[in-house]
Amino acid sequence: MSQISKQTDNSLKFAYWVPNVSGGLVISKIEQRTSWSIEYNKKLAQIAEQYGFDYALSQIRFTAGYGAEYQHEPVAFSHSILEATEKLKVIIAILPGPWKPVTVAKQLATIDQLTNGRVAINIVSGWFKGEFNAIGEHWLEHDERYNRSEEFIKVLKGIWTEDNFSFHGNFYQFNNYTLKPKPLQTPHPEIFQGGTSRAARDMGSKVSDWYFANGNTIEGIKAQVDDVRSKAAAEGRTIKIGVNAFVIARASEEEAKAVLQEIVEKADIEAVQAFGHAAKQAGQASPEGEGNWAKSTLEDLVQYNDGFKTNLIGTPEQIADRIIALKNIGVDLILTAYLHFQEEVAYFGKHVLPLVRERENKLSSNN
Ligand SMILES: Cc1cc2nc3c(=O)[nH]c(=O)nc-3n(C[C@H](O)[C@H](O)[C@H](O)COP(=O)(O)O)c2cc1C
């Protein structure tokens, strides 16, 4: 069943959100044939890799917050998915605070060894004060959270690449520490990060391999791409960009739009409003007011990472064209979510991905 078209290093990468929390990826009472069970997720990962997806991104949550009553822990869950697949890379979400860099470095080095170098990490900096309160974690203000995450990433890189590693920061201290075994991947597993505020962009430009943006319009994404890339260039670095999108691919545009309308009409308004309240606070908490969700409407928030805004909603042709438009503004990876994950990852792989590859090949032969 797999039809993986020819790819080059310059080809767009594709990822999907791992539904390791209950309730799917939209806060809606619409039917979602998606399960957070490991059996469902193993099969999903196998389908995704057969169709040429490159990555799966897990989520970290300690409390329900918005829907998501049950939340599997991402390190253990991701390892299980990796064991069920052969090529897919799994990006493990880690929240500094509850996790210490030394434990993460060691756990992920072992998983990397056990899975032939297929682990990656997404450093999330935390946005939900109620969650931190519930688990007894000290809450840092917005930019301090990013200062801590930046140190966290520097330390991870140090432990993963050096012997006798020493570090004396505001949050972490190390003295002559040597990790053995180190990860299989060199120089180290890829480091992703999530967040769109100025502090997030500054951190990305200094230390991360990948910057993940919430869903947005093409103009909104371009502004971030340009800012992160120019800041990275000033640091003498390059950085890759991933963008979130909720995909509704159907045979006709009307059908796809009707699905979006039904998701929104059946939104769990109470849960969306509760999330919206916390998310707006988080978005406006960044000093410049440009954080995630700072400009999201209630309808946007039904997909909790603004995935409708990217507008991958329509026919396979329309979606492929919009994906190429994202590539043309410098996006390297499309992070996707769906209503019915197994069925729709297969549909996307069968009907959308080949069109994207065709268009990419045309682009590269024109250049
Ligand atoms: C693609 C992506 C994935 C994320 N995954 C998680 C997650 O699993 N858990 C979490 O607590 N926050 C997650 N976040 C939230 C961010 O880490 C960050 O706290 C949030 O985007 C607010 O950032 P900002 O206001 O500084 O832009 C994610 C964000 C993005 C863009």
Side-chain angles (χ1 to χ4, degrees):
M1 96 185 179
S2 71
Q3 311 157 322
I4 305 175
S5 328
K6 197 170 139 263
Q7 285 186 54
T8 63
D9 277 356
N10 194 24
S11 300
L12 275 166
K13 304 283 180 280
F14 287 88
Y16 71 89
W17 284 88
V18 174
N20 59 311
V21 306
S22 65
L25 271 284
V26 284
I27 314 174
S28 174
K29 293 174 181 161
I30 191 172
E31 184 202 10
Q32 297 191 59
R33 293 188 293 278
T34 292
S35 161
W36 54 288
S37 74
I38 190 60
E39 292 74 26
Y40 182 93
N41 269 282
K42 283 183 187 173
K43 177 87 196 299
L44 170 61
Q46 288 161 356
I47 294 170
E49 77 173 0
Q50 275 172 323
Y51 278 108
F53 276 72
D54 306 279
Y55 299 93
L57 171 70
S58 62
Q59 306 172 57
I60 172 63
R61 290 207 212 154
F62 286 92
T63 58
Y66 41 101
E69 187 180 357
Y70 300 91
Q71 320 97 29
H72 274 307
E73 188 282 315
V75 181
F77 204 80
S78 299
H79 186 204
S80 188
I81 292 174
L82 282 162
E83 288 297 338
T85 49
E86 289 171 3
K87 291 173 289 189
L88 191 73
K89 279 191 159 187
V90 182
I91 310 166
I92 301 183
I94 292 289
L95 183 60
W99 266 285
K100 305 291 168 229
V102 68
T103 36
V104 171
K106 200 154 179 68
Q107 276 179 305
L108 267 61
T110 293
I111 297 177
D112 206 46
Q113 290 279 341
L114 299 179
T115 60
N116 200 24
R118 290 190 292 125
V119 82
I121 184 169
N122 185 30
I123 300 293
V124 303
S125 293
W127 58 272
F128 187 22
K129 195 171 181 179
E131 181 177 61
F132 274 60
N133 283 342
I135 63 172
E137 269 293 325
H138 178 60
W139 178 248
L140 298 173
E141 285 314 315
H142 185 271
D143 286 10
E144 272 301 275
R145 297 202 291 279
Y146 282 95
N147 289 338
R148 175 169 64 186
S149 295
E150 187 175 323
E151 271 195 20
F152 194 107
I153 293 173
K154 284 181 181 159
V155 166
L156 267 187
K157 288 185 185 175
I159 301 177
W160 277 341
T161 59
E162 294 172 30
D163 284 344
N164 303 311
F165 174 68
S166 294
F167 185 88
H168 300 285
N170 292 326
F171 300 93
Y172 305 113
Q173 283 78 39
F174 284 81
N175 296 294
N176 272 321
Y177 176 57
T178 301
L179 172 76
K180 288 187 182 177
K182 295 208 168 17
L184 203 60
Q185 295 176 85
T186 54
H188 53 72
E190 291 177 289
I191 299 174
F192 292 70
Q193 65 159 81
T196 48
S197 56
R198 185 208 28 81
R201 281 175 267 133
D202 287 353
M203 179 176 93
S205 68
K206 285 189 227 153
V207 290
S208 306
D209 299 316
W210 284 88
Y211 172 89
F212 261 140
N214 255 16
N216 210 325
T217 58
I218 201 116
E219 296 74 27
I221 292 164
K222 186 173 183 319
Q224 291 173 55
V225 171
D226 293 349
D227 187 50
V228 179
R229 286 248 158 86
S230 66
K231 283 177 172 156
E235 299 280 333
R237 301 183 70 244
T238 56
I239 183 162
K240 288 185 261 184
I241 315 279
V243 171
N244 178 49
F246 192 84
V247 175
I248 310 177
R250 296 292 185 275
S252 73
E253 186 179 6
E254 293 67 41
E255 218 182 310
K257 284 193 166 153
V259 175
L260 174 62
Q261 197 181 341
E262 191 185 344
I263 295 173
V264 173
E265 273 169 12
K266 295 188 175 163
D268 181 343
I269 291 295
E270 233 173 80
V272 178
Q273 274 170 344
F275 165 58
H277 181 68
K280 286 278 172 196
Q281 273 188 334
Q284 285 150 8
S286 60
E288 78 298 338
E290 289 176 13
N292 258 11
W293 310 295
K295 294 182 187 145
S296 310
T297 64
L298 204 65
E299 177 178 331
D300 294 331
L301 293 172
V302 176
Q303 200 297 301
Y304 45 77
N305 281 89
D306 275 350
F308 302 145
K309 277 190 181 174
T310 315
N311 193 23
L312 298 191
I313 297 168
T315 63
E317 284 76 16
Q318 289 174 317
I319 293 176
D321 286 342
R322 289 174 197 152
I323 289 175
I324 294 297
L326 288 167
K327 180 176 173 133
N328 287 339
I329 59 157
V331 170
D332 303 284
L333 177 149
I334 311 291
L335 169 64
T336 60
Y338 310 83
L339 206 50
H340 314 299
F341 267 75
Q342 285 183 359
E343 297 147 56
E344 296 193 53
V345 160
Y347 185 91
F348 187 88
K350 214 175 192 163
H351 299 285
V352 182
L353 268 183
L355 297 181
V356 173
R357 298 304 179 211
E358 234 175 73
R359 285 159 170 72
E360 280 190 303
N361 289 341
K362 247 188 223 154
L363 271 180
S364 61
S365 60
N366 287 345
N367 289 336

